[in-house]
Amino acid sequence: MKINLKINNINRDIDVEPGEVLYDVLRRCGFTSIKKACGTSSCGVCTVLLDGMPVPSCSYLAVKADGHNITTIEGIKEEADRIGKFMVEEGAVQCGFCSPGFLLTVIAMEREIENPDSQGIKNYLAGNLCRCSGYEGQLRAVKKYMGVSE
Amino acid sequence: MNIKKYLRPLNIDEAYGLLQSKNAVIIGGGAFLNLGNREVETAIDLSKLNLNFIEEKNGEFLIGAMTTLRKLETSSFAKENFDGVITKTLSCIMGVQLRNTATIGGSVYGRYGFSDIITTFLALDAEVELCNGGKMSLEKFLEEKIDRDILLKISIKKDNRKAAYINMRNSSADFSLINVAVAMKDNRFRICVGARPKRAKVAYEAMSFINSSEVNEETALRAGEIASTTLQFGGDIRASAEYRKELCKALVKRAIMEVIQ
Amino acid sequence: MKEVNKSVPKKDGMGLTVGKPAYTEDLAPQNALTVKVLRSPYPFARIKNIDTEKAEKLKGVKCVLTYKNVPRNIVTRAGQGYPEPSPHDKFILDEYVRYIGDEVAAVAAEDEVTAVEALKLIEVEYEKLEPVLDFERAEGHPSIIHPEKEAHEMFPTGFNPSKNIAAEYHMSFGDLDKTLKKCDYVVSERYYTQAQNHTAMETHSSFAYVDINGRLNIVSSTQTPFHARRIVGEALGLPLDKIRVIKPRIGGGYGGKQALHGEFLVALVALRTGRSAKLIYTREEVFEATYTRHPMRIDVTIGADKDGNIKAIDMEILSNTGAYAEHALTVFMVAGSKTLPLYNKAEAVRFGGKVVYTNHTPAGAFRGYGAVQGNFALEATIDKLALAVGKDPVEFRVQNMIKEGETSPVFKIMGEGTEGVDMTVDSCKLEYCVKRGMELCGWKDKYPRKQIGKNKVRGIGSAIAMQGSGIPCIDMGSAVIKLNDGGFFNLMVGATDIGTGSDTILAQIAAEALGVSTDKVVVYSSDTDLTPFDCGAYASSTTYVSGNAVYRAGRKMKGLIEKAGAERFGVSKDEVEFDGEFIRTKDGRNSVSLSQLSTELYYSNKQKQLMVCESFCGEVSPPPFLAGFAEVEVDLETGKVDLIDYTAVVDCGTPINPNLARIQIEGGLVQGIGMTMFEGVKYGENGKLLTNNFLQYRIPSRKDINKLTVEFAESYEPSGPFGAKSVGEIGTDTPPAAITNAIYNAIGVRVTKLPVTPEYILMELKKKMK
Ligand SMILES: Cc1cc2nc3c(=O)[nH]c(=O)nc-3n(C[C@H](O)[C@H](O)[C@H](O)COP(=O)(O)OP(=O)(O)OC[C@H]3O[C@@H](n4cnc5c(N)ncnc54)[C@H](O)[C@@H]3O)c2cc1C
Ligand code: FES
Ligand code: FES
């Protein structure tokens, strides 16, 4: 099937199998920033933004995304650099495998919620698992980045 | 999932027609379907049928089947009605990624035993509207054997009932071991228990007891005990039937007490 | 110290965060064949017949491997030093399959769909055998899991396959029975731990290709590239000079990638087809067919005199290694060797037990290996004894625990698979850790419990732990430092950064030793062709072992630079010094920048390459220490336990990079918390793992973690690089005991089986009320 995806603001016509998920299609198109850890929409590692909202690309049918906007880390370099700096300075990036999906979710959160508190941040990011960091460093980094004090 | 044909019908009748063919399935968010290695002949995408809505009409709230969990959760409707119980229920489910994907239609039509939202909808006495089956109570829908139909929308009466939802999980992102929703209107309670681990049920005996008693901690606990003995519970990898029964007592009590607060 | 004890940003941090291609799968050639594995549906069976003809004929299939067409060399995949303490009991593919998930055959095809299709076309006839699923009945079971005559141990480890015993070990000193008899207080308990899964977010991945020189190149998410080269050579019967192993960035390991998993298969496919071939495990394969933590049954008895002095400790273990005995002996021994010395004044100690084979997914190395299990059992029993003696458990620990400058007979007796080494602990700030931890967590106010409302009780509990820093006299790390024109350095290490940040901290150590800033050190690691040897990332060895090698190399390079400067100035070496930027004569008359000197060295004046190589193999393994405190809230009506706060105060010597050290501890704590509270493992009746994906196997999410408080003690390990000891594993050790002790203090229920589920708590509470 032919579908049209606007990936990082560039329109692309792509041939996909109807059962293919976004993750496979995007990797095939060279967006290797996207990682997969579970394949069952349980970990958030494969997160991409669909019309600005985080979705699990491992479980999202590519055909369902036809005509929509997809954002990967490659498409928001500046924002990624900005948040990434806080993450790295905090030492919160360990193996880094969860980082791209995490960053995209932080960006969506920033756009969606005004002035979140610690609990609000935790709730929004709850779908992003990280086995390395123990989460506290990520939280410290995001709080600093967003200027959340408590 | 392996899909042969993927179609986006433009009207409901066409969708229904397609659904009657062999190995045809409706795709809601696709999140749950994706878990299995299914061979699908015809996948029917409902996105062109204008089923993505939350509206109020004639004293009813209507939720379109293609509305995502996240959209419903963050809607002012969910936050401002029934003590925010719908928002509270939905926010227990996994992460925002899944809730941006999964639909209300898939969540209700799937009739999953572990479901959080079905329990809450049941307490709110929601109705479902099916393409072929027409309008019926959610309770009936959960019991009927319905096959190859399309869920179009959920409706909930705007009756200002108070409501509470409590669940128990082994960890925050796991499925419920059990969940309880209690609603109250005109001092009459409706008590529903889900993830038993089978589909949610209305605890009628417990309701009739509490409806005829003065409500306090003791009677609320008694209602819980009645629910735990009159409903059926089973064991699975998350918990035993025995434990679920114990939890049923405590959670029903707590939900009742929360509602009367 | 300018460059160490400093939170330098992780070198690869930014690149990884913004998703640069870096991991094995990202680097695999686009046209690589996809390898898929057919796995056994039975816990124990013999392949009577296997027909691959249809699969081979499928368009796009390039190669099908079965036990009939692969080399039959028995190895251990454990990824340990040589000779290995793990028995050789694994063929690349075998006629027998020994657990659900064991490899039956492999297919390489042009794409994944074809490979999966081809797997379905392989016809296998199995002779089902009676499986051994209960590890407490494995010894002497009529089914023998390893009947093959080739299976053997490399040195005496108690290997007895005819009884399903993978390893056996016993030690003792003092007269245990007599000492116990004299004790005024004796307590015992039996504990069980589960088969926790590592769940690194990147699944096990590898690809292989044959290069222009006909050599086999393997790129793998391995923690042990040098061991991988050796073991692939052994299994395939290839000379080692024909093999190169490269480790790119790794998406988490925690021990799970110490062993070999896909490497044999991709290597064989590449050699047979001449094409590059990749094998990326699915999440289910990781659960079913890689490794777990060894589940154990641990019996502990401890005795104390009337003043509460611990006199005798007895620990007996039955460990379940699953279908293959990778790390069977070592993990089991560590359960004693890295816990018993904590209470070094005991006059009599006995430790021993067996490791048995079962038809379950094999167990292997996992962060804290053995120490976690042993710590749970020992530290829970210590609490029980403290209560019997009538002392505050923390004070009881302080009274009995090891202190700086002391030793334990256990150090000498027990090593890992072999004898240990005699050592005193020259840095041990455990007492400070305990006291500081008590302050931070509010122990005095909170111990033992506080009622919070009608149905909730809070309790607080503690545990202490020690780990090691590498395996002494065995683990070796080495480093090469090369000076370049322009005055910057290449640091080449075999050490394996698996996400821990070891590339960065090794660069910091090199920089400190050289006196330059860390950004002048470019690190390249873990490539068997280009970097010197290193045992790999395990046993908490990198900072201490590899770090010491780097330190030595840095110092030596500094000397070479000064020597070159002296030659340039025509003075003797003692007259010059290098300050990190300039080489000067001490009298201040001559100076040249390193940048200038190095450029001259390569282009214009007394030309030569400055390069050094140094190695380090520890004679001791200085333990880091940790005091952990858990505060829990128990819901009396539901049994739900919430972890309110976890406090850890750590003595890891000098933290080379405090931010990265903190994350090591925090990450370790959460893995320990997961093991304690959430990560349930369930099998079906036939031994099928039911918790084989992230839906059923729940690692903690950030909502499950309320608060972690981590601090470091000021400490300096004289034998470590700039005073450092290890920090990678110790964080994992205390949560099981501290949390379950807190639960006991809250409600009087002693948890003896992990994980603690709300069901377990409520049912125990009910029993107690009866
Ligand atoms: C990892 C994971 C964790 C989850 N955790 C929870 C949880 O904790 N609590 C909880 O309540 N739920 C949970 N769910 C379920 C989730 O909330 C949704 O209920 C589920 O994903 C189904 O929604 P969907 O839109 O994805 O449906 P789909 O996967 O698209 O469809 C599900 C089923 O419903 C059918 N269907 C879909 N829409 C319609 C329609 N309009 N009419 C008729 N048939 C239809 C499909 O054919 C299919 O049989 C979880 C799901 C996943 C994948
Ligand atoms: S990989 Fe998609 S949610 Fe885990
Ligand atoms: S940094 Fe490794 S999983 Fe998050």
Side-chain angles (χ1 to χ4, degrees):
Chain A
M1 268 176 98
K2 268 249 178 323
I3 59 167
N4 180 273
L5 297 179
K6 196 168 182 185
I7 309 174
N8 300 328
N9 282 324
I10 297 171
N11 267 312
R12 290 180 178 234
D13 289 316
I14 306 171
D15 236 336
V16 303
E17 293 292 326
E20 246 183 323
V21 291
L22 260 183
Y23 170 84
D24 289 326
V25 171
L26 292 170
R27 291 272 311 187
R28 182 144 52 74
C29 295
F31 297 95
T32 49
S33 69
I34 310 162
K35 313 292 180 214
K36 180 167 86 174
C38 72
T40 53
S41 42
S42 316
C43 75
V45 165
C46 65
T47 300
V48 298
L49 304 184
L50 182 100
D51 300 334
M53 309 238 264
V55 297
S57 66
C58 72
S59 305
Y60 205 94
L61 287 177
V63 281
K64 264 180 68 82
D66 189 10
H68 292 269
N69 289 310
I70 306 282
T71 312
T72 72
I73 283 280
E74 286 93 342
I76 41 156
K77 247 198 116 317
E78 264 170 45
E79 276 167 297
D81 279 347
R82 231 175 339 115
I83 306 172
K85 206 165 150 267
F86 281 84
M87 297 278 293
V88 175
E89 269 168 16
E90 199 54 53
V93 182
Q94 284 282 292
C95 78
F97 207 73
C98 67
S99 296
F102 178 78
L103 238 71
L104 284 164
T105 316
V106 172
I107 287 166
M109 170 173 72
E110 204 186 351
R111 293 178 187 159
E112 206 178 316
I113 314 185
E114 270 174 58
N115 305 323
D117 56 8
S118 277
Q119 201 51 48
I121 293 173
K122 274 189 171 181
N123 288 343
Y124 197 94
L125 299 174
N128 293 84
L129 299 182
C130 172
R131 188 57 151 170
C132 296
S133 72
Y135 302 117
E136 292 285 285
Q138 291 184 341
L139 185 64
R140 286 193 293 270
V142 172
K143 280 166 72 176
K144 278 186 196 159
Y145 168 70
M146 298 188 82
V148 180
S149 52
E150 48 60 78
Chain B
M1 201 171 16
N2 201 358
I3 299 174
K4 287 243 168 68
K5 263 189 312 202
Y6 190 90
L7 302 170
R8 293 188 194 87
L10 296 172
N11 65 61
I12 289 166
D13 292 340
E14 189 191 341
Y16 184 77
L18 287 169
L19 185 57
Q20 307 316 311
S21 63
K22 197 173 142 241
N23 271 338
V25 298
I26 302 282
I27 304 280
F32 215 77
L33 280 169
N34 184 62
L35 294 176
N37 269 335
R38 266 178 89 156
E39 295 285 333
V40 173
E41 193 63 38
T42 313
I44 306 158
D45 179 329
L46 305 182
S47 58
K48 294 246 152 66
L49 302 181
N50 297 321
L51 293 175
N52 180 0
F53 58 80
I54 303 168
E55 56 190 34
E56 194 186 326
K57 220 185 205 165
N58 307 330
E60 278 191 330
F61 294 111
L62 304 175
I63 306 158
M66 289 301 283
T67 310
T68 65
L69 302 187
R70 181 75 180 156
K71 181 172 168 190
L72 180 59
E73 171 195 352
T74 54
S75 67
S76 49
F77 150 69
K79 288 184 190 158
E80 287 157 16
N81 290 285
F82 313 117
D83 302 321
V85 73
I86 294 176
T87 298
K88 193 178 157 199
T89 306
L90 292 171
S91 66
C92 299
I93 299 172
M94 289 295 289
V96 290
Q97 290 88 345
L98 178 74
R99 306 205 294 279
N100 278 325
T101 306
T103 61
I104 286 296
S107 300
V108 173
Y109 195 89
R111 290 180 279 190
Y112 305 110
F114 56 75
S115 175
D116 296 283
I117 194 62
I118 285 178
T119 311
T120 293
F121 280 165
L122 196 58
L124 298 177
D125 223 345
E127 291 185 303
V128 299
E129 191 176 325
L130 299 164
C131 175
N132 186 43
K135 207 166 170 182
M136 68 176 82
S137 70
L138 173 61
E139 187 178 359
K140 181 161 178 233
F141 174 69
L142 291 174
E143 278 159 18
E144 294 279 280
K145 209 169 144 28
I146 287 167
D147 201 19
R148 292 183 186 243
D149 207 338
I150 301 176
L151 176 59
L152 302 175
K153 57 182 163 246
I154 308 284
S155 52
I156 304 173
K157 284 201 190 58
K158 188 180 179 185
D159 55 12
N160 290 323
R161 62 178 78 191
K162 298 185 67 52
Y165 173 78
I166 303 185
N167 68 79
M168 179 72 186
R169 290 167 139 81
N170 277 332
S171 72
S172 64
D174 199 2
F175 292 116
S176 287
L177 299 182
I178 185 169
N179 51 45
V180 173
V182 170
M184 182 185 72
K185 189 181 66 173
D186 307 331
N187 282 326
R188 297 195 66 78
F189 286 86
R190 189 169 164 87
I191 301 172
C192 303
V193 183
R196 302 168 299 110
K198 293 230 171 74
R199 286 180 198 166
K201 283 243 184 216
V202 185
Y204 282 108
E205 287 83 349
M207 278 153 57
S208 65
F209 168 77
I210 197 80
N211 286 336
S212 58
S213 312
E214 188 190 323
V215 184
N216 55 36
E217 280 240 18
E218 224 169 278
T219 52
L221 179 62
R222 183 73 199 115
E225 285 166 357
I226 295 170
S228 92
T229 48
T230 51
L231 295 175
Q232 294 205 330
F233 292 87
D236 61 6
I237 68 171
R238 288 187 166 71
S240 68
E242 202 188 350
Y243 179 55
R244 285 194 163 93
K245 282 188 171 186
E246 289 300 326
L247 285 177
C248 176
K249 297 177 199 168
L251 299 199
V252 166
K253 178 193 85 176
R254 287 181 187 186
I256 291 174
M257 296 312 288
E258 194 183 319
V259 165
I260 60 165
Q261 289 274 296
Chain C
M1 292 192 272
K2 267 167 46 200
E3 295 301 316
V4 301
N5 204 350
K6 180 172 159 188
S7 293
V8 173
K10 195 157 162 284
K11 286 196 175 251
D12 54 1
M14 211 52 202
L16 294 179
T17 309
V18 301
K20 292 260 159 65
Y23 304 93
T24 303
E25 188 177 11
D26 301 344
L27 304 177
Q30 282 280 333
N31 64 351
L33 296 174
T34 297
V35 180
K36 283 276 165 192
V37 181
L38 181 67
R39 297 187 177 279
S40 169
Y42 302 113
F44 195 23
R46 195 180 66 83
I47 300 170
K48 270 165 64 180
N49 202 7
I50 184 160
D51 185 348
T52 57
E53 202 183 316
K54 284 189 196 135
E56 275 162 78
K57 283 198 177 135
L58 187 69
K59 189 163 172 281
V61 171
K62 295 290 155 188
C63 176
V64 179
L65 303 173
T66 68
Y67 77 93
K68 291 182 177 165
N69 64 1
V70 301
R72 187 173 169 85
N73 297 314
I74 202 155
V75 298
T76 171
R77 302 172 302 172
Q80 298 170 302
Y82 188 85
E84 296 102 335
S86 302
H88 287 204
D89 60 4
K90 178 80 176 86
F91 297 104
I92 299 173
L93 295 169
D94 192 11
E95 186 185 350
Y96 284 88
V97 284
R98 297 179 172 84
Y99 65 97
I100 296 180
D102 206 352
E103 298 101 340
V104 174
V107 166
E110 293 291 352
D111 55 57
E112 185 172 340
V113 176
T114 310
V116 170
E117 201 50 45
L119 290 185
K120 293 184 200 151
L121 297 176
I122 299 177
E123 289 162 12
V124 194
E125 209 184 311
Y126 295 97
E127 176 193 346
K128 286 191 257 172
L129 303 167
E130 176 69 29
V132 182
L133 298 174
D134 178 354
F135 79 113
E136 293 181 275
R137 293 196 192 159
E139 182 183 352
H141 193 284
S143 283
I144 296 169
I145 296 172
H146 284 278
E148 70 278 10
K149 60 181 187 317
E150 296 95 330
H152 64 278
E153 59 191 342
M154 302 294 285
F155 51 83
T157 60
F159 181 60
N160 185 358
S162 66
K163 288 207 142 124
N164 290 327
I165 293 174
E168 180 168 355
Y169 173 83
H170 299 276
M171 71 75 121
S172 66
F173 62 83
D175 188 329
L176 186 88
D177 294 329
K178 222 158 139 195
T179 316
L180 276 177
K181 235 179 237 143
K182 279 198 291 188
C183 285
D184 298 276
Y185 304 95
V186 176
V187 298
S188 305
E189 194 66 75
R190 168 169 282 193
Y191 304 87
Y192 289 89
T193 63
Q194 82 276 33
Q196 186 186 20
N197 188 282
H198 310 72
T199 68
M201 288 292 147
E202 179 205 25
T203 62
H204 297 59
S205 309
S206 54
F207 68 87
Y209 57 94
V210 178
D211 69 17
I212 181 104
N213 300 318
R215 293 173 76 235
L216 175 67
N217 285 238
I218 301 173
V219 178
S220 169
S221 63
T222 176
Q223 294 178 220
T224 56
F226 288 89
H227 298 334
R229 177 178 66 183
R230 187 191 78 233
I231 297 165
V232 168
E234 211 177 343
L236 271 59
L238 269 185
L240 296 195
D241 59 277
K242 288 274 181 261
I243 309 170
R244 173 184 182 186
V245 178
I246 301 166
K247 173 219 72 101
R249 296 294 102 189
I250 296 196
Y254 331 113
K257 293 171 180 167
Q258 180 174 347
L260 280 74
H261 282 102
E263 290 89 342
F264 301 148
L265 299 176
V266 291
L268 276 171
V269 171
L271 290 170
R272 299 234 167 128
T273 62
R275 296 271 304 271
S276 50
K278 69 173 176 187
L279 172 49
I280 313 295
Y281 273 42
T282 63
R283 181 54 57 191
E284 279 184 16
E285 286 183 297
V286 173
F287 274 108
E288 293 183 358
T290 63
Y291 268 170
T292 69
R293 203 183 274 297
H294 284 82
M296 289 185 187
R297 183 189 77 198
I298 308 179
D299 289 292
V300 179
T301 300
I302 315 180
D305 68 13
K306 64 178 190 325
D307 301 320
N309 297 306
I310 293 175
K311 293 288 168 195
I313 309 177
D314 185 20
M315 189 184 271
E316 166 127 11
I317 298 182
L318 182 70
S319 172
N320 175 1
T321 193
Y324 299 98
E326 286 117 353
H327 302 266
L329 176 67
T330 43
V331 168
F332 146 71
M333 283 181 76
V334 164
S337 66
K338 290 200 170 48
T339 59
L340 297 170
L342 281 170
Y343 300 104
N344 60 333
K345 280 128 214 142
E347 290 161 10
V349 171
R350 186 168 68 190
F351 172 87
K354 291 170 187 160
V355 189
V356 290
Y357 283 114
T358 58
N359 293 108
H360 280 303
T361 302
F366 191 166
R367 198 178 199 172
Y369 64 120
V372 182
Q373 295 96 317
N375 194 277
F376 168 48
L378 180 69
E379 284 294 277
T381 316
I382 289 286
D383 251 45
K384 197 172 171 182
L385 181 58
L387 292 178
V389 174
K391 293 208 169 188
D392 173 304
V394 179
E395 279 159 25
F396 183 68
R397 286 191 169 84
V398 172
Q399 176 185 346
N400 285 289
M401 71 197 186
I402 191 164
K403 312 238 157 63
E404 196 160 88
E406 293 181 356
T407 183
S408 158
V410 177
F411 290 139
K412 172 91 179 70
I413 300 171
M414 290 176 80
E416 288 187 27
T418 55
E419 235 185 46
V421 295
D422 209 356
M423 63 178 182
T424 53
V425 290
D426 294 332
S427 59
C428 175
K429 300 287 180 262
L430 193 49
E431 201 164 340
Y432 168 84
C433 294
V434 169
K435 297 225 156 107
R436 179 67 185 145
M438 284 172 83
E439 276 167 37
L440 286 170
C441 73
W443 179 269
K444 291 234 156 77
D445 280 346
K446 290 174 179 167
Y447 177 77
R449 82 184 63 82
K450 273 214 160 97
Q451 189 80 30
I452 306 283
K454 208 169 125 230
N455 295 315
K456 295 200 168 158
V457 187
R458 286 194 179 181
I460 194 161
S462 65
I464 56 174
M466 58 174 283
Q467 197 71 40
S469 299
I471 307 172
C473 306
I474 294 178
D475 286 349
M476 190 273 273
S478 57
V480 167
I481 295 180
K482 172 164 81 80
L483 173 69
N484 298 294
D485 50 334
F488 75 102
F489 301 90
N490 289 115
L491 169 64
M492 274 125 9
V493 285
T496 321
D497 189 335
I498 55 173
T500 51
S502 68
D503 281 359
T504 307
I505 64 115
L506 293 177
Q508 287 179 263
I509 294 172
E512 183 75 35
L514 286 158
V516 303
S517 70
T518 302
D519 56 15
K520 290 278 179 237
V521 181
V522 176
V523 187
Y524 183 73
S525 59
S526 324
D527 176 332
T528 58
D529 269 8
L530 300 183
T531 64
F533 182 87
D534 193 286
C535 56
Y538 59 84
S540 286
S541 58
T542 304
T543 303
Y544 183 76
V545 176
S546 314
N548 262 321
V550 170
Y551 169 79
R552 288 178 177 179
R555 278 296 144 112
K556 196 162 168 190
M557 175 54 85
K558 188 164 187 252
L560 284 193
I561 290 168
E562 286 167 348
K563 187 159 162 257
E567 279 168 17
R568 183 181 189 272
F569 303 138
V571 298
S572 83
K573 190 179 168 246
D574 319 332
E575 284 173 61
V576 297
E577 55 190 7
F578 172 50
D579 68 2
E581 273 183 68
F582 290 91
I583 301 99
R584 308 174 200 271
T585 51
K586 286 182 184 157
D587 59 14
R589 272 200 234 146
N590 294 303
S591 90
V592 61
S593 70
L594 179 64
S595 171
Q596 171 74 24
L597 175 71
S598 60
T599 306
E600 285 177 18
L601 274 175
Y602 299 135
Y603 292 106
S604 54
N605 184 13
K606 302 202 169 81
Q607 286 96 320
K608 67 176 162 204
Q609 171 70 56
L610 299 196
M611 178 144 128
V612 298
C613 178
E614 278 292 327
S615 325
F616 181 83
C617 179
E619 282 162 20
V620 292
S621 176
F625 295 94
L626 185 150
F629 299 84
E631 186 181 359
V632 300
E633 182 173 289
V634 184
D635 185 325
L636 300 175
E637 284 184 323
T638 64
K640 177 118 176 92
V641 176
D642 284 322
L643 181 63
I644 304 296
D645 185 12
Y646 203 99
T647 303
V649 184
V650 189
D651 167 8
C652 64
T654 306
I656 299 291
N657 185 320
N659 271 353
L660 294 180
R662 168 180 306 273
I663 300 275
Q664 282 299 308
I665 296 296
E666 289 172 348
L669 289 177
V670 171
Q671 288 182 359
I673 291 166
M675 172 174 175
T676 313
M677 304 179 66
F678 305 116
E679 298 175 30
V681 179
K682 295 270 160 65
Y683 300 98
E685 258 173 44
N686 61 347
K688 166 88 181 162
L689 184 67
L690 301 176
T691 42
N692 64 354
N693 57 42
F694 277 178
L695 272 161
Q696 311 297 7
Y697 186 92
R698 297 304 322 185
I699 66 169
S701 84
R702 70 191 73 233
K703 277 212 241 175
D704 296 311
I705 304 301
N706 281 312
K707 185 165 165 256
L708 306 177
T709 307
V710 173
E711 272 195 15
F712 293 92
E714 259 188 55
S715 170
Y716 192 93
E717 166 56 40
S719 71
F722 302 108
K725 299 187 276 191
S726 82
V727 72
E729 293 187 281
I730 186 146
T732 328
D733 295 345
T734 56
I739 292 170
T740 56
N741 286 340
I743 293 171
Y744 183 87
N745 292 338
I747 56 169
V749 169
R750 169 82 39 221
V751 176
T752 55
K753 197 168 176 190
L754 299 182
V756 192
T757 60
E759 171 160 2
Y760 182 100
I761 296 293
L762 191 71
M763 295 311 177
E764 290 297 314
L765 270 173
K766 291 217 151 307
K767 264 192 236 159
K768 247 188 65 170
M769 280 188 293
K770 267 184 200 155

